């Protein structure tokens, strides 16, 4: 049974935003004076701070310690959307957006009450979709919300029943929008928080009306994503959506005979692509993919656990520093090519922070990893997979999010 750790942790999970340089003369040249980087820092006591800094070099040397520094934040998640940083909170004071004003200072927009959100994702038209879920099973009604950062307001909200015919109900794990369709991946649970690992299941809605369309399933792999991390579904630059199924004890599931793998929903479609299945367990990794982070183009960075040792790991151990045996690889999803990440020690899982914890710029990924000995930032080359040690994290163990904002 899982405890409601979300209310105990202050964590920041940002959608991955990638930046790259181009030789095209029409590409605007970014003025360094007009941008700042922002990261979320979590202390050993679960306090969180937002820190504004000016160069990625600052997180590649020395140490990072934000205790008593930066902006203390009680939000349960933070999402960058339309050049803002939305601090998501279910508390009475509500959620609030941060942006970089004309003087380059982080400034807040108005607060808006959003409710108890467990799954969320950004859209093609610069909105944020939230899915609110009753953790205690007091209801099976889930609320879908569209938040517009331009007006700092909710523009649509609609309820949908996540109950299924056997008396159990679905729980959202990730949200993605491609074109006029909204996709919510799910797992099956009961009121006592027992999880049932079966086929891949995604609920489909029209966007932006939030009208329920259908539920699609695929038995070629297992349940998509995991509790609260929002790392089970990725939209690549082509507009295709890929789903990631772990079949792993470390993600809270009793493993089945199915294989951990990746499915695809093609841009403009609302069904799984029957011609595509990336079997991670049968690949050269011989692993089970537990999380995925977009890193530009059709590529993702993944955390995986070797399938041969999965049964020996603790239940839910990706979420609680219970296992230090995860490895990383970079996948090109369109070609199914695999690049093993090297010079990176075996490490823990994400402890509830998710896909925004990996920030990509100029072909380099920046992400914090926790080992038995320390928390540290690593820079990973997208093309070669070679990792380089960065700053040690002191006073805490992880950076739940890293992103970049431009002056408004």
């Amino acid at each position: 049974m899982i405890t409601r750790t979300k209310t105990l942790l202050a964590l920041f999970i940002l959608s991955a935003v990638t930046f790259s340089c181009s030789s095209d003369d029409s590409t605007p040249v970014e003025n360094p004076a007009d941008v700042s980087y922002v990261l979320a820092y979590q202390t050993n006591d679960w306090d969180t701070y937002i820190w504004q800094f000016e160069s990625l070099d600052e997180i590649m040397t020395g140490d990072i310690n934000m205790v008593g520094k930066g902006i203390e934040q009680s939000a349960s998640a933070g999402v960058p959307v339309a050049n803002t940083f939305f601090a998501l909170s279910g508390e009475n004071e509500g959620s609030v957006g941060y942006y970089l004003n004309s003087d380059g200072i982080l400034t807040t927009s108005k607060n808006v009450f959003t409710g108890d959100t467990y799954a969320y994702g950004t859209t093609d038209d610069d909105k944020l979709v939230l899915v609110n879920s009753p953790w205690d099973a007091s209801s099976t009604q889930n609320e879908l919300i569209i938040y517009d950062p331009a007006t700092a307001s909710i523009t649509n909200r609609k309820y949908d029943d996540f109950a299924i015919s056997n008396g159990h109900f679905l729980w959202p794990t990730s949200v993605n929008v491609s074109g006029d369709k909204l996709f919510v991946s799910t797992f099956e649970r009961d009121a006592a928080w027992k999880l049932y690992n079966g086929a891949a299941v995604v609920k489909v809605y029209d966007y932006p009306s939030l009208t329920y369309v259908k539920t699609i399933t695929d038995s070629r792999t297992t349940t998509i994503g995991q509790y609260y991390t929002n790392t089970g579904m990725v939209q690549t630059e082509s507009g295709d959506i890929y789903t990631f199924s772990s079949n792993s004890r470390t993600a809270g599931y009793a493993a089945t005979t199915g294989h951990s793998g990746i499915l695809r929903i093609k841009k403009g479609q609302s069904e799984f692509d029957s011609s595509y299945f990336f079997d991670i367990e049968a690949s050269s990794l011989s692993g089970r993919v537990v999380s995925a982070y977009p890193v530009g183009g059709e590529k993702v960075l993944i955390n995986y656990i070797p399938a041969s040792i999965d049964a020996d790991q603790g239940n839910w151990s990706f979420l609680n520093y219970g296992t230090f045996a995860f490895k990383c690889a970079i996948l090109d999803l369109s070609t199914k090519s695999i690049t093993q990440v090297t010079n990176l020690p075996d490490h823990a899982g994400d402890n509830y922070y998710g896909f925004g914890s990996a920030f990509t710029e100029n072909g380099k990924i920046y992400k914090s990893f926790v080992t038995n000995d320390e928390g540290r930032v690593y820079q990973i080359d997208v093309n070669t997979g070679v990792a380089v040690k960065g700053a040690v994290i002191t006073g805490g163990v992880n950076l739940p999010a890293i992103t970049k904002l431009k002056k408004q």
Side-chain angles (χ1 to χ4, degrees), residues 310-389:
D310 183 72
D312 299 326
Q313 310 308 309
N315 195 30
W316 300 99
S317 55
F318 183 79
L319 303 177
N320 58 18
Y321 300 139
T323 295
F324 294 90
F326 294 102
K327 302 176 184 293
C328 280
I330 296 169
L331 310 180
D332 186 318
L333 297 171
S334 61
T335 64
K336 298 183 182 178
S337 64
I338 298 172
T339 302
Q340 184 71 54
V341 173
T342 58
N343 298 338
L344 178 68
D346 290 354
H347 51 273
D350 277 353
N351 202 26
Y352 296 93
Y353 58 92
F355 55 85
S357 61
F359 174 76
T360 305
E361 184 172 70
N362 297 329
K364 308 291 185 183
I365 306 162
Y366 299 83
K367 179 172 169 56
S368 67
F369 294 90
V370 179
T371 67
N372 266 317
D373 302 317
E374 63 184 9
R376 183 185 288 271
V377 176
Y378 281 82
Q379 177 198 81
I380 303 171
D381 188 287
V382 172
N383 293 317
T384 67
V386 175
V388 176
K389 282 184 177 182

Side-chain angles (χ1 to χ4, degrees), residues 29-37 52-55 100-105 404-408:
V29 177
E30 188 175 81
N31 184 350
D34 292 335
V35 300
S36 284
Y37 299 90
Q52 179 181 344
F53 61 107
E54 306 310 316
S55 170
L100 209 61
N101 69 14
S102 59
D103 295 321
I105 298 171
K404 185 179 187 177
L405 297 177
K406 297 180 181 180
K407 287 182 181 178
Q408 295 189 14

Side-chain angles (χ1 to χ4, degrees), residues 221 243-246 259-263 276-290 300 302-305 307 329 331 333 336-338:
T221 187
T243 66
F244 300 82
S245 300
S246 69
H259 274 201
S260 172
I262 302 169
L263 301 171
Y276 183 94
F277 179 56
F278 194 171
D279 190 330
I280 299 301
E281 208 156 336
S283 74
S284 60
L285 297 177
S286 298
R288 294 176 174 173
V289 55
V290 289
V300 291
I302 65 164
N303 268 312
Y304 72 93
I305 189 82
L331 310 180
L333 297 171
K336 298 183 182 178
S337 64
I338 298 172

Side-chain angles (χ1 to χ4, degrees), residues 153-165:
S153 63
I154 292 172
T155 59
N156 194 13
R157 60 200 318 158
K158 189 169 288 188
Y159 283 91
D160 183 41
D161 195 345
F162 276 42
I164 53 180
S165 60

Side-chain angles (χ1 to χ4, degrees), residues 214-231:
K214 59 185 174 182
T215 298
I216 59 175
T217 64
D218 199 308
S219 60
R220 289 176 293 171
T221 187
T222 60
T223 302
I224 298 168
Q226 58 183 301
Y227 177 78
Y228 195 55
T229 63
N230 287 267
T231 51

Side-chain angles (χ1 to χ4, degrees), residues 124 177-183 207-208 235 239 267-268:
D124 297 335
V177 172
S178 182
D180 64 352
K181 290 293 182 287
L182 164 68
F183 302 92
Y207 178 84
Q235 181 183 359
K267 181 180 180 180

